[in-house]
Amino acid sequence: LFPKGGRKGLEISIGKPPPNDLVNQLDAWHDRIGGNCIDRTPGWMDWRYSDQSENDYEWVSAYRRDKLAAFGVWGMQNDRWGEVADHRAHLVELAGTDKRARQAVLASIIDGAWDKSAILMETMSNIGEVTASLRRAGFIKHRQAPLIIRGLVDNISDTDIYDHASWQFMGGDVDTF
């Protein structure tokens, strides 16, 4: 894959952004994409992408004029997986209200996977703005993922949780990699 995404006017940084920056971007991103989705908070992300996952997750952030404009998280199974480590990179988060920043984050993530000798990068998403960025970077759609859900409480959402189209998901929402 050849990354596409201009970095002009952006500062790219490796590492998790400060919690306040992250909360502001997560709120703006959720407002933008709408629908049902996992409630991402800095605490949830700390748990989801912790060292115990043994996937060596790396955060990449893009700032425009000192404001977080986009971020992504990716990882690969590390040496603790032993012989089953498959050298596939997993893009688990890609979010940001600034299209160019989101594309620059993706390009930086692809560069990082290349530097770590990943054989491929895979992800899952049905978020229109994310899938457009993925296509632009050379990703191909392989197949549809089934959505299997069971409501456990009444009135958890104003939308129909059983309607696939009402959900917005990203790779980190599932454990199928």
Side-chain angles (χ1 to χ4, degrees):
L1 292 175
F2 298 100
K4 298 178 182 178
R7 294 170 176 99
K8 185 177 179 182
L10 296 167
E11 179 184 331
I12 304 296
S13 68
I14 305 300
K16 186 176 179 189
N20 287 342
D21 291 352
L22 186 58
V23 166
N24 291 338
Q25 187 56 237
L26 286 168
D27 288 347
W29 182 240
H30 184 262
D31 289 347
R32 186 173 183 130
I33 64 171
N36 295 315
C37 62
I38 298 296
D39 185 22
R40 285 166 166 71
T41 64
W44 181 86
M45 295 182 114
D46 286 344
W47 165 79
R48 184 67 171 143
Y49 306 122
S50 71
D51 290 340
Q52 286 81 13
S53 70
E54 301 180 350
N55 283 298
D56 292 343
Y57 287 117
E58 181 176 283
W59 288 74
V60 178
S61 302
Y63 288 83
R64 185 181 302 283
R65 294 181 290 281
D66 297 324
K67 183 177 177 187
L68 182 63
F71 70 91
V73 181
W74 76 281
M76 289 174 52
Q77 295 171 336
N78 64 29
D79 293 340
R80 290 178 280 180
W81 284 83
E83 292 180 13
V84 299
D86 57 16
H87 305 288
R88 295 180 306 166
H90 304 128
L91 176 64
V92 293
E93 298 289 340
L94 183 61
T97 54
D98 182 321
K99 177 182 175 180
R100 285 193 58 242
R102 194 173 53 250
Q103 290 170 329
V105 165
L106 181 56
S108 296
I109 287 172
I110 293 169
D111 287 345
W114 178 265
D115 290 345
K116 292 188 179 180
S117 302
I119 61 169
L120 59 86
M121 179 170 278
E122 59 189 351
T123 192
M124 231 169 78
S125 182
N126 70 339
I127 302 168
E129 292 186 53
V130 170
T131 58
S133 294
L134 294 170
R135 281 192 305 274
R136 186 171 192 274
F139 283 73
I140 57 170
K141 184 177 179 178
H142 178 58
R143 62 178 179 246
Q144 292 287 102
L147 178 67
I148 303 170
I149 189 166
R150 166 83 167 93
L152 299 176
V153 296
D154 292 331
N155 302 323
I156 61 172
S157 174
D158 292 338
T159 59
D160 182 2
I161 66 168
Y162 300 106
D163 176 19
H164 185 270
S166 72
W167 285 91
Q168 302 294 323
F169 58 88
M170 190 64 217
D173 296 336
V174 297
D175 289 319
T176 59
F177 292 128

